[in-house]
Amino acid sequence: MTERKQDTVTIIDNSTGREMTLPVVTPVHGPRAFDIRGLYREMGLLSYDPGFMSTASCRSSITFIDGNQGILLYRGYPVEVLAEKSTYLEVAYLLLYGELPTAEELESFKDRIVHHSMIHESVKTFFSGFHHDAHPMAILVGVVGSLSAFYHDSADPHDPVERDLTAHRLIGKIITIAGASYKHSIGEPFVYPNNALSYCGNLLNMLFSVPAEPYQVDPVAERALDMLFILHADHEQNASTSTVRLAGSSDANPYAAVTAGIASLWGPAHGGANEKVLNMLEEIGDESNIQKFIDRAKDRNDPFRLMGFGHRVYKTHDPRAKIIREMCHEVLEKLGHAGDPLFDLALRLEEIALRDEYFLERNLYPNVDFYSGLIYRALGIPTQMFTVMFAIARTVGWLAHWLEMMSEPEHRISRPRQVYVGAERREYVPLEARR
Ligand code: ACO
């Protein structure tokens, strides 16, 4: 990243009259940021920004988003170009290492990923500890976390070779763990990975094949999944990625740090939204009920929100949602699901919401999750697995950010401050004297 440090911002504390001039960091793209690292030391002041509305937590060269224009770049490449021309593993290499791989580099990268796709036989036994109706995200949190117990001797976050090994292991194993989570939930035997298949072909095979009969990976499903994974691979400092960075900043075991990211992704305000969108569409059920749900979403006294709508950064169409919407038409058509009533309902809901003042005034547009669930459904993936699919794709993003953070010379433990609003110092009252 090339930066010019030339501008400054002056802060004046009106209560003390003290002032301080702060340097401004000018990024390649996006808003300038003033560097407040010396603020507390010099002025005794903290900045207050719950939800990080105006705070850049780090410098990063991986992904750029322009939320007003609907632009998303991975290492400088527009996501729509990558989705059309590239493959998920190629994009994974790009995110991790900064450049598109040569044919030779890609082959060797694929080889490393597939050779890490098997899980230790002992890991398999963990699955049987989960109840059959456990949410697959709960299983994913548990099992990915357990990997920290298997590779503690080769997961030194300060060793670049072990960092790479960790990244390759996690990308390779996450599909196997996801497949096993699903098989456990439906009571079918686990399917081992097959190195002859592509990354997404392998995942489909582990989800849908059974030992009793041959299974052929559908190339339409394989490509659709690959594209969805490209679109979900990274999104700069979102909640789960920031969680991985925060957890990893203490030099924590990287498998544990990624597990923290999975837990954060699970929330319905983040990656859990794709599952909630489908549940919501099913609950709406019919076009005649749409207005009732829109009215509920607008009612301040009702916690209901239109799932798959709105985004912290995008104040226009999410560029990923645009691609997924088109893809949805194509995939449903090719896989023989044209006329899926939920897809028609989603289109109608989008149309009605985008004409409504409430959504227009607040810049609430469909996000990536509004349509992704419909594609997953057409691929035969059950609703509960949607967020797991997102977690698979985002594993690369989490790792790219963790690698970037750990190789940064300025890297320090992340430790936000707070504005304390609790009780003042008080005297302890013995139990017998309390009223
Ligand atoms: N339905 C109805 N109203 C909404 C919605 C929605 N989906 N999203 C935001 N609003 C309203 C809020 O009530 C608020 O209204 P107000 O100004 O009258 O109080 C205003 O729009 C701003 O919303 P905030 O919650 O302040 O926006 P924030 O940036 O904090 O939240 C979020 C973004 C969490 C994505 C939110 O839009 C939401 O909950 N959406 C639904 C869940 C969802 O789809 N999440 C997936 C996000 S994309 C991803 O993670 C891949």
Side-chain angles (χ1 to χ4, degrees):
M1 190 160 87
T2 49
E3 279 172 4
R4 295 172 290 132
K5 269 196 184 179
Q6 53 181 29
D7 310 341
T8 54
V9 163
T10 300
I11 303 254
I12 302 171
D13 182 343
N14 290 322
S15 53
T16 62
R18 288 173 69 189
E19 65 174 66
M20 182 182 179
T21 298
L22 300 164
V24 166
V25 184
T26 307
V28 173
H29 292 307
R32 297 172 308 139
F34 60 96
D35 180 345
I36 61 165
R37 279 176 294 180
L39 189 65
Y40 178 63
R41 196 180 55 242
E42 301 289 324
M43 302 273 278
L45 275 176
L46 296 176
S47 64
Y48 175 60
D49 186 16
F52 303 107
M53 303 295 286
S54 305
T55 297
S57 61
C58 61
R59 300 185 319 161
S60 181
S61 316
I62 302 171
T63 290
F64 172 70
I65 305 172
D66 183 329
N68 295 322
Q69 295 191 61
I71 294 171
L72 173 59
L73 308 177
Y74 291 165
R75 301 280 189 186
Y77 296 98
V79 75
E80 56 276 16
V81 175
L82 294 169
E84 189 198 330
K85 299 185 191 296
S86 203
T87 61
Y88 177 67
L89 282 190
E90 209 180 332
V91 170
Y93 185 99
L94 172 72
L95 287 168
L96 295 175
Y97 303 115
E99 298 297 335
L100 284 168
T102 61
E104 212 173 291
E105 284 165 342
L106 183 61
E107 268 325 294
S108 122
F109 180 64
K110 278 185 188 163
D111 199 55
R112 269 174 286 151
I113 300 299
V114 295
H115 283 98
H116 284 297
S117 59
M118 280 174 67
I119 50 177
H120 194 289
E121 285 294 292
S122 307
V123 174
K124 277 172 54 187
T125 61
F126 291 172
F127 289 88
S128 47
F130 287 97
H131 201 245
H132 68 90
D133 62 357
H135 195 288
M137 280 299 279
I139 301 181
L140 200 69
V141 167
V143 177
V144 175
S146 80
L147 296 182
S148 52
F150 287 84
Y151 304 110
H152 52 85
D153 57 345
S154 51
D156 178 357
H158 293 289
D159 180 334
V161 176
E162 293 194 5
R163 284 203 295 261
D164 262 5
L165 177 61
T166 301
H168 301 157
R169 273 190 180 137
L170 269 163
I171 298 166
K173 291 183 200 314
I174 191 89
I175 51 170
T176 313
I177 295 172
S181 304
Y182 175 56
K183 288 298 194 189
H184 176 73
S185 73
I186 56 170
E188 284 184 4
F190 297 161
V191 177
Y192 283 99
N194 176 349
N195 288 0
L197 296 173
S198 71
Y199 191 73
C200 288
N202 210 351
L203 172 60
L204 287 167
N205 189 52
M206 287 190 277
L207 290 172
F208 299 124
S209 73
V210 287
E213 58 190 25
Y215 171 80
Q216 203 60 41
V217 174
D218 182 331
V220 174
E222 191 179 9
R223 177 65 190 140
L225 203 53
D226 201 71
M227 267 175 84
L228 279 177
F229 282 3
I230 292 175
L231 297 175
H232 281 95
D234 191 43
H235 214 230
E236 51 117 304
Q237 309 309 322
N238 56 84
S240 56
T241 303
S242 299
T243 303
V244 172
R245 279 188 178 258
L246 195 81
S249 76
S250 65
D251 295 347
N253 182 291
Y255 298 95
V258 166
T259 303
I262 299 173
S264 168
L265 185 79
W266 191 5
H270 191 10
N274 52 15
E275 179 177 342
K276 300 282 179 215
V277 170
L278 251 276
N279 294 341
M280 176 187 76
L281 290 173
E282 270 161 6
E283 210 186 325
I284 296 175
D286 186 78
E287 208 183 306
S288 59
N289 297 325
I290 291 180
Q291 196 54 50
K292 202 167 67 199
F293 279 82
I294 298 245
D295 291 343
R296 280 188 62 196
K298 288 156 57 171
D299 181 355
R300 277 179 179 275
N301 299 316
D302 188 332
F304 174 77
R305 284 189 165 197
L306 215 53
M307 297 315 289
F309 263 76
H311 197 276
R312 170 59 63 79
V313 183
Y314 293 118
K315 299 305 167 201
T316 180
H317 286 277
D318 179 336
R320 302 166 301 172
K322 272 205 245 174
I323 304 170
I324 290 185
R325 191 177 189 273
E326 279 168 30
M327 193 171 138
C328 213
H329 278 286
E330 199 186 314
V331 171
L332 294 187
E333 188 80 34
K334 284 190 182 156
L335 293 178
H337 294 272
D340 178 346
L342 284 196
F343 182 52
D344 292 340
L345 195 63
L347 287 175
R348 193 75 189 112
L349 176 62
E350 180 189 27
E351 195 186 319
I352 296 175
L354 291 183
R355 278 203 315 253
D356 194 299
E357 272 307 302
Y358 174 94
F359 292 89
L360 291 174
E361 272 169 15
R362 290 168 179 75
N363 294 316
L364 299 171
Y365 293 88
N367 58 48
V368 67
D369 281 331
F370 191 66
Y371 285 108
S372 62
L374 288 161
I375 302 180
Y376 285 137
R377 201 169 90 107
L379 302 184
I381 291 163
T383 315
Q384 282 210 328
M385 283 293 289
F386 291 179
T387 313
V388 173
M389 305 307 277
F390 192 162
I392 295 172
R394 188 54 61 83
T395 296
V396 163
W398 294 328
L399 290 163
H401 283 269
W402 176 73
L403 290 177
E404 181 176 66
M405 177 182 75
M406 294 313 301
S407 57
E408 175 79 54
E410 284 179 8
H411 156 67
R412 314 173 69 177
I413 186 167
S414 295
R415 198 330 186 158
R417 303 295 299 267
Q418 63 167 14
V419 175
Y420 176 69
V421 293
E424 289 192 25
R425 187 190 172 98
R426 346 185 225 181
E427 291 304 321
Y428 180 81
V429 181
L431 183 60
E432 56 285 5
R434 279 179 227 155
R435 295 283 168 264

